[in-house]
Each structure stands twice: as structure tokens, then as C-alpha cells.
Amino acid sequence: RHYFIQSNLRLMALAGYLCRRCNHLLAASAFPLQRIQEYRSVSTSAETSKSSVPPDADEVAKFDRLSSTWWSDDKDPLLLMNSVRVPLLKNLFSELEVELDDPPRVLDVGCGGGYLAEELAKQRMSVTAIDPSRDMIAIASRHAAKYAGELDLKYECSTVENIAEQFDVVVSSEVVEHVPCVKTFVNQCAQRVKPGGGLMFTTINRTLQSWLFGILLAEHVAGLVPPGTHEYHKLVPPEVLTGVIADCGFEVLELTGLRFNPITRQWSKTSDMSINYAVTAISAHLDDEIADNFDETY
């Protein structure tokens, strides 16, 4: 009987804690519909007419603060995500019908501390990795220094609109949910892909499940992700992202959900896209007239 009472008290305490966190996060995570509608109106109107949008200073500052946590835990879910990201990228390369550079050239936009960029370089790709956070670039460069001379990997503190080259593939993983304008950002990435090349994005859907499991539980209960990493109103549904990609002249190759098991610490592909998902796409071969129209449109 004593055990039963103690168990009930623990459950009541947990329920109370979750209720308090829910009340706090419903406000802090911009879950209310009004905030979502305000964000949509801002990100789809004036900013979409610009050729570029500066990175959100608050987001850059946020990741500057988080930079010291990178490479400190080999069980970090974002590091473990390479187990699904790399095969997705390799499959994209296998479907490209253009002659690739040797080695294949990849631009990693928003590389953070270099989890994906470094692994791609280990896979014998030529990688240029950029991020607007100087602290992140410093952490990434410091970790890669142990492979000096072994990897074709270059880090730059920069944003995508400042890159003048084109690449076989441009990848941006867990970034679009942090940018001021998704349409402009995706367009800037698309312009860095050579004709016939590919794009890859991974991000988080905007659903009740993503708020509950991706923000509330992952950030504020289980501690899988640092608190404050994501804001609900900035999350991007797959129909929005694939629509923008199509508008940029790309054909979606693969759209898949990604699932993380916190017990086994493993990622897997899934048909469920309610939380994490990935999309790969292939560029059309644009003739001069279409290319001109494309430049005028964006």
C-alpha cells in the first residue's frame, strides 16, 4: 500500500510538472495560432521579394552559445543522424545524370560544428562547409585539424549568398527551421547547384507531435536537445518545403520521415513525417530562357 501511494505521488508530481511546462511552452514556443499566422505573413510577403535575407542575429547568437557542446558527446542525436543523412546523400548522387566532379563537390550550408561536413569529407567528397556563427566554425575547424592533410574539407564563416561557386550537391541539414525566410534561403541554396545537380534538406515538421516530442520532451524533459533550440512557429511542413523546391526548378527525388529512438540511440527512415523528415531533389537542365526567367522571379 505504501508503494502504491508513493507511486501515485510520483505520477502526480510528474503530471504537475508536465502541465506547468506545457503552460510555459505554449507561450514560449509560439504555439498559439496567432503567432504562427504572424510568422507566415512576414516570411511570405516582403522578404520573399529580396534576393537575400541576412541571418537572424538571435539565431546566430543562440548557436554561438551552443558551440562548446559540439563534439562533447558521441551519442548526440544530431551526430548520430549521420547514419541516415549520409546514405540519403549517396543515393542522391547515384541518381544524378550529369558528370560529377572528381571528387564530388558538396556545399554544406549551416554546417554548425561540422558533424555532417566532416563525415562527408571522410567519405572522399570535396566539402565546403559554411556557417554564419564564428564560434561554430572555430569548433568545426579545431576538430577537423586532427585530420590535417587527410580530408578535402574547407570551413568558412559565411552565408550562402556570398558563395560564388556551384556544386554537384548542396545540403542543408536542420537549418531551414532557423532562417528568416524559407523561400529565399532555399532559392539561394538552389542557385549554388550546377544544372543537373542535387539538393538535400532535413528539418522538422510543424505538427502537434513535433511540438510535443521535438520541443517539449526532447528539449525540456529528456534533454536530448538544448532548451530553446527550436521555435514551433518557425518549423516547416514538408508540403511547404517541397513546394518551394519545385518553384526553384527541382524535382523531388525522395521525401521520407526520419525517426530517432532515444533508447537504442538509432535513427531510421520511416513513412511517418510528423516530426523529422528529409527531402532530396534534382535540378532540371535549365536553358538560357528559363534561367533568365528564374533569375527574374527570385
Side-chain angles (χ1 to χ4, degrees):
R1 183 178 178 183
H2 177 73
Y3 176 79
F4 178 77
I5 293 173
Q6 290 295 321
S7 297
N8 280 343
L9 288 174
R10 290 192 186 97
L11 288 174
M12 290 173 65
L14 178 59
Y17 171 79
L18 290 177
C19 286
R20 289 192 299 272
R21 297 305 299 171
C22 285
N23 289 334
H24 171 72
L25 289 167
L26 282 173
S29 299
F31 190 80
L33 181 60
Q34 182 179 357
R35 284 290 302 278
I36 296 171
Q37 291 173 335
E38 288 172 357
Y39 177 76
R40 284 175 175 169
S41 66
V42 169
S43 63
T44 57
S45 57
E47 287 182 342
T48 58
S49 64
K50 301 178 182 179
S51 59
S52 64
V53 177
D56 188 323
D58 290 338
E59 291 283 354
V60 175
K62 177 197 303 181
F63 285 98
D64 278 338
R65 293 191 298 270
L66 295 175
S67 61
S68 61
T69 66
W70 286 63
W71 300 107
S72 62
D73 180 7
D74 60 4
K75 298 300 183 183
D76 185 334
L78 190 57
L79 177 59
L80 297 175
M81 198 183 208
N82 284 346
S83 64
V84 289
R85 293 189 291 192
V86 173
L88 279 166
L89 192 62
K90 286 185 173 180
N91 182 63
L92 173 59
F93 270 114
S94 71
E95 296 293 330
L96 299 181
E97 297 180 353
V98 296
E99 183 177 350
L100 300 175
D101 294 316
D102 186 18
R105 299 182 67 233
V106 177
L107 175 65
D108 183 359
V109 180
C111 64
Y115 284 168
L116 180 58
E118 188 172 293
E119 181 59 31
L120 295 180
K122 290 178 180 177
Q123 299 291 326
R124 299 294 179 251
M125 300 179 193
S126 174
V127 182
T128 297
I130 63 172
D131 199 283
S133 167
R134 292 187 181 279
D135 290 349
M136 283 292 191
I137 291 297
I139 289 290
S141 300
R142 190 177 308 133
H143 192 271
K146 65 178 69 175
Y147 302 104
E150 298 178 24
L151 304 180
D152 189 348
L153 173 60
K154 177 176 67 173
Y155 285 111
E156 294 182 23
C157 183
S158 183
T159 52
V160 63
E161 61 267 22
N162 294 321
I163 302 299
E165 307 167 72
Q166 287 190 313
F167 297 78
D168 295 308
V169 165
V170 173
V171 58
S172 188
S173 184
E174 308 305 297
V175 175
V176 295
E177 68 270 27
H178 300 289
V179 301
C181 178
V182 172
K183 183 176 181 180
T184 301
F185 177 76
V186 171
N187 171 58
Q188 289 290 339
C189 290
Q191 290 186 15
R192 274 71 195 172
V193 178
K194 70 182 188 182
L199 273 174
M200 186 179 98
F201 295 96
T202 71
T203 188
I204 304 176
N205 199 349
R206 188 168 61 216
T207 62
L208 178 59
Q209 295 96 315
S210 67
W211 176 81
L212 178 61
F213 294 103
I215 296 179
L216 176 62
L217 291 178
E219 295 187 15
H220 299 275
V221 177
L224 295 174
V225 181
T229 299
H230 299 105
E231 298 175 65
Y232 181 82
H233 69 289
K234 288 186 175 181
L235 304 183
V236 185
E239 61 270 20
V240 172
L241 184 55
T242 55
V244 173
I245 289 172
D247 288 344
C248 292
F250 283 69
E251 180 180 351
V252 172
L253 172 66
E254 184 173 5
L255 178 62
T256 181
L258 303 175
R259 176 180 293 153
F260 179 68
N261 186 321
I263 299 175
T264 63
R265 313 291 290 189
Q266 292 182 334
W267 284 91
S268 59
K269 290 169 60 175
T270 173
S271 59
D272 181 6
M273 295 187 290
S274 61
I275 305 179
N276 296 86
Y277 69 95
V279 57
T280 60
I282 298 177
S283 167
H285 292 272
L286 303 179
D287 58 29
D288 292 339
E289 181 179 355
I290 296 177
D292 290 341
N293 291 337
F294 178 81
D295 290 337
E296 292 174 4
T297 301
Y298 294 97

